[in-house]
Amino acid sequence: MTATWWRRSVGYEVYIRSFADGDGDGVGDLRGIIGRLDELAWLGIDLVWISPCMPSPMHDHGYDVSDYTGIDPAFGTLADLDELVAQARRRGIRILMDLVPNHTSSEHPWFRAALADPSGPYRDYYLWRDPRPDGGPPNNWRSHFGGPAWTLDEASGQYHLHLFLPQQPDLNWRNPRVHEEFRRILAFWLDRGVAGFRIDVAHSLHKHPDLPDLPPRPEDVPSRSGSDFDELHHVFDLDQADNVLAHRAWRQVTEPAGALLLGETYLLSAELLHRYHDPDEGLNASFWFPPMHLDWSPAAVRDLLVDALRMPPGTLAWITGSHDGPRAASRFGGGDLGRRRALGLTAMLWALDGIPFVYQGEELGLLDPALRLEDMQDPLARRHPEDAARRSRDLARTPMPWSPDPGMGFTAPGVEPWLPFGGRTAADTWAAQRRDERSWLHAWRRLIAAWRALPDDLPAACWVDEGDAALLAFRRGQVLAALNAGEDDVGLPLPGPGVVAFHRDPACEGRRPEGALVLAPGDALWVRLDDEPGQV
Ligand code: NOJ
């Protein structure tokens, strides 16, 4: 029988370089995470996803793996990983590894062997093609980071495909030997006690076998980033039907271990995403990314929530941010309004059936830091300097401010962190917020506790039209969730008596409101009504 422990778990993304530095070299590591497990347990976290910690030349900060069964010395050792798993388990926390199966590093021994011997067995681990007759790349595909998706190997005269950096060659998932390698890799980590895998670009493993040119992006498909990648319609490089073959093969390895396969399945439409989840095979669940692309307005938030309501229960992990985009609180308007909106939208999503996830620092209400272009390390920002202030992924990757001390509790005093803190203040820190019951940290902690107290068997959500364009609400049985997505206070009429189960303001929580409740802009609340629907 399929395990479903993740449906009662609150997840937390650790971006390892920036979470906590255990050895004082300015880069976060596994021992740093071990040192902060008590904080995560206090917050109420059950599941920690760690960004890649395997050996890597770090062209894409670990998403270019050169050895899938080791630990990069910058992050520690296998013994540290074992200790992390054990120490986490003692606190009731599971560890999720980040699996990067679409591409390896160009320094992986498989790719080195493929370059060294074009007629050898490793050549077909990757996707090689001859140039076009004019000598140019085999097709018009572009890389996610901008520029052609092909790089010429002058020695053999062939191009290799890379949907990301040239140093991240794409694997050939039509080669059964690649499948075998990954089954072995999954089993290796499961034997060490990890609880499953976050699967990097899970929707992009297979490419159309003929690698045809991509047509231009249709006018009704919005450009997400404005880069040349977005000028094409990705019908042959992404979301190919055969992707599920790899997922099914992995499920055979994870299922007996009761482990989770959680996809970074970056498809924004409910219909497309749905095909990747199956109770018996394929991925168990995927992150849901529309909140990362939300341009906040009451109408846009309403559309997003209406879409979320339509998703099959339990198959999505709810996020508003990650290490791959600017901070949610900044994207949603900045300042305290942006912070309220980030928490408010999170509360709405978490009231739906799915896996709640927090990206490190969201619980502190962190906004984008002040970073200079010359400090930025993200390959995407370096390739698009004109847009870096708005798009750089470094905005979400500055080190965690744990305390106001020198080194901010992230690294040793006097040590230069790998990215600057970017102007974090004492009020941003975990230590200061932990002492203040009215802080963002306490509000997020209360949301986690309120989520845990939700009844297991809530019915599907049903939209409630409040007649005010800014007031967005739905009910799941006795639970009413409402958000003020507008810019002015709004009154929320309650359909009957009940208790406030979550509110940002601790003074409101646990109260039985009389008459309408007033919600400030960006605020959300959950009310547990006394009566079932139909009886009110
Ligand atoms: C998604 C990861 O989250 C991102 O950081 C990385 O650059 C790409 N996949 C390529 O692995």
Side-chain angles (χ1 to χ4, degrees):
M1 210 188 103
T2 303
T4 53
W5 51 263
W6 48 86
R7 292 184 65 169
R8 294 309 300 155
S9 300
V10 179
Y12 187 95
E13 181 193 349
V14 162
Y15 189 68
I16 187 166
R17 299 181 75 78
S18 309
F19 186 67
D21 172 15
D23 62 2
D25 64 356
V27 176
D29 49 37
L30 293 170
R31 299 215 70 80
I33 305 175
I34 295 171
R36 294 292 179 186
L37 283 173
D38 283 338
E39 278 84 347
L40 295 180
W42 174 83
L43 184 59
I45 299 303
D46 308 285
L47 175 63
V48 172
W49 151 34
I50 313 172
S51 63
C53 52
M54 291 110 180
S56 163
M58 304 287 169
H59 291 290
D60 190 17
H61 297 315
Y63 285 98
D64 46 330
V65 177
S66 55
D67 170 7
Y68 284 92
T69 54
I71 299 289
D72 193 281
F75 299 137
T77 61
L78 277 172
D80 293 334
L81 192 272
D82 292 342
E83 188 177 340
L84 172 64
V85 170
Q87 295 268 8
R89 188 180 297 133
R90 252 173 246 152
R91 293 161 176 86
I93 296 175
R94 291 176 161 96
I95 300 293
L96 207 61
M97 296 298 273
D98 205 322
L99 187 74
V100 188
N102 178 67
H103 43 269
T104 68
S105 157
S106 52
E107 292 184 26
H108 195 289
W110 301 338
F111 192 72
R112 286 171 176 261
L115 277 180
D117 181 4
S119 56
Y122 288 101
R123 187 73 170 184
D124 194 39
Y125 272 42
Y126 297 90
L127 292 153
W128 300 93
R129 290 294 182 275
D130 291 334
R132 287 197 182 209
D134 67 358
N139 68 21
N140 69 347
W141 294 11
R142 314 296 291 174
S143 126
H144 284 270
F145 294 148
W150 296 95
T151 292
L152 181 64
D153 165 36
E154 287 186 1
S156 68
Q158 285 197 308
Y159 282 86
H160 81 261
L161 178 72
H162 51 86
L163 290 188
F164 293 89
L165 296 173
Q167 297 90 342
Q168 292 170 296
D170 278 43
L171 283 164
N172 172 17
W173 277 92
R174 298 193 188 276
N175 180 345
R177 293 193 56 187
V178 171
H179 281 262
E180 266 164 50
E181 301 277 10
F182 273 81
R183 271 199 293 273
R184 183 180 54 79
I185 292 163
L186 264 78
F188 174 87
W189 293 110
L190 291 174
D191 283 350
R192 301 197 98 89
V194 310
F197 304 89
R198 174 264 189 191
I199 311 290
D200 194 56
V201 283
H203 58 301
S204 123
L205 307 175
H206 276 268
K207 283 81 190 174
H208 189 289
D210 303 334
L211 306 178
D213 272 353
L214 293 171
R217 172 172 57 87
E219 272 174 19
D220 59 340
V221 176
S223 165
R224 288 210 311 247
S225 64
S227 78
D228 53 353
F229 181 81
D230 275 4
E231 288 319 308
L232 296 170
H233 194 31
H234 295 279
V235 282
F236 302 129
D237 54 347
L238 305 181
D239 192 28
Q240 301 299 291
D242 286 348
N243 284 333
V244 294
L245 300 179
H247 305 161
R248 284 180 194 157
W250 302 338
R251 182 77 175 266
Q252 285 167 12
V253 184
T254 55
E255 186 84 0
L260 168 64
L261 286 176
L262 176 56
E264 188 215 17
T265 319
Y266 219 121
L267 299 166
L268 300 182
S269 112
E271 289 70 29
L272 297 182
L273 199 47
H274 183 42
R275 292 183 284 112
Y276 285 84
H277 309 131
D278 186 298
D280 302 316
E281 49 182 24
L283 300 175
N284 300 106
S286 293
F287 287 101
W288 195 61
F289 290 98
M292 302 264 302
H293 301 278
L294 174 65
D295 189 4
W296 193 285
S297 73
V301 182
R302 184 196 166 95
D303 288 352
L304 179 136
L305 288 173
V306 166
D307 246 15
L309 253 62
R310 286 174 32 230
M311 297 301 291
T315 55
L316 298 182
W318 305 121
I319 54 166
T320 55
S322 79
H323 66 283
D324 279 336
R327 291 263 171 204
S330 289
R331 281 184 279 114
F332 297 162
D336 277 352
L337 175 63
R339 293 172 164 126
R340 287 200 300 272
R341 287 174 170 174
L343 178 64
L345 179 61
T346 299
M348 295 301 277
L349 294 170
W350 288 17
L352 297 170
D353 195 343
I355 314 171
F357 253 85
V358 181
Y359 174 55
Q360 68 186 42
E362 282 176 345
E363 72 280 22
L364 302 173
L366 293 186
L367 302 170
D368 285 345
L371 279 186
R372 298 172 311 172
L373 189 57
E374 54 268 38
D375 292 325
M376 293 198 183
Q377 310 256 350
D378 175 15
L380 184 66
R382 291 188 166 189
R383 284 173 164 230
H384 297 278
E386 70 295 346
D387 225 8
R390 195 173 59 84
R391 273 176 66 197
S392 172
R393 301 181 299 174
D394 291 321
L395 296 170
R397 296 179 179 183
T398 53
M400 275 284 280
W402 290 100
S403 71
D405 313 314
M408 300 211 87
F410 165 74
T411 189
V415 172
E416 196 71 16
W418 75 279
L419 259 187
F421 289 103
R424 297 291 180 221
T425 65
D428 289 325
T429 64
W430 184 290
Q433 295 200 22
R434 181 146 174 187
R435 284 192 301 270
D436 174 6
E437 298 246 324
R438 300 184 61 84
S439 64
W440 295 104
L441 180 61
H442 276 272
W444 279 81
R445 183 171 184 254
R446 281 186 295 96
L447 177 63
I448 291 170
W451 179 83
R452 215 176 288 293
L454 286 175
D456 275 342
D457 51 355
L458 288 176
C462 143
W463 193 258
V464 181
D465 217 327
E466 291 294 357
D468 179 328
L471 188 55
L472 310 177
F474 58 80
R475 273 183 75 165
R476 294 187 65 197
Q478 276 173 276
V479 176
L480 171 76
L483 166 71
N484 176 0
E487 301 201 346
D488 303 305
D489 286 358
V490 291
L492 170 70
L494 286 186
V499 177
V500 176
F502 169 72
H503 193 287
R504 175 181 56 84
D505 180 353
C508 292
E509 230 173 79
R511 266 187 41 209
R512 298 183 69 83
E514 282 165 22
L517 271 164
V518 175
L519 278 180
D523 269 346
L525 92 176
W526 297 348
V527 178
R528 189 141 173 194
L529 299 163
D530 295 346
D531 294 310
E532 291 289 345
Q535 297 178 294
V536 290

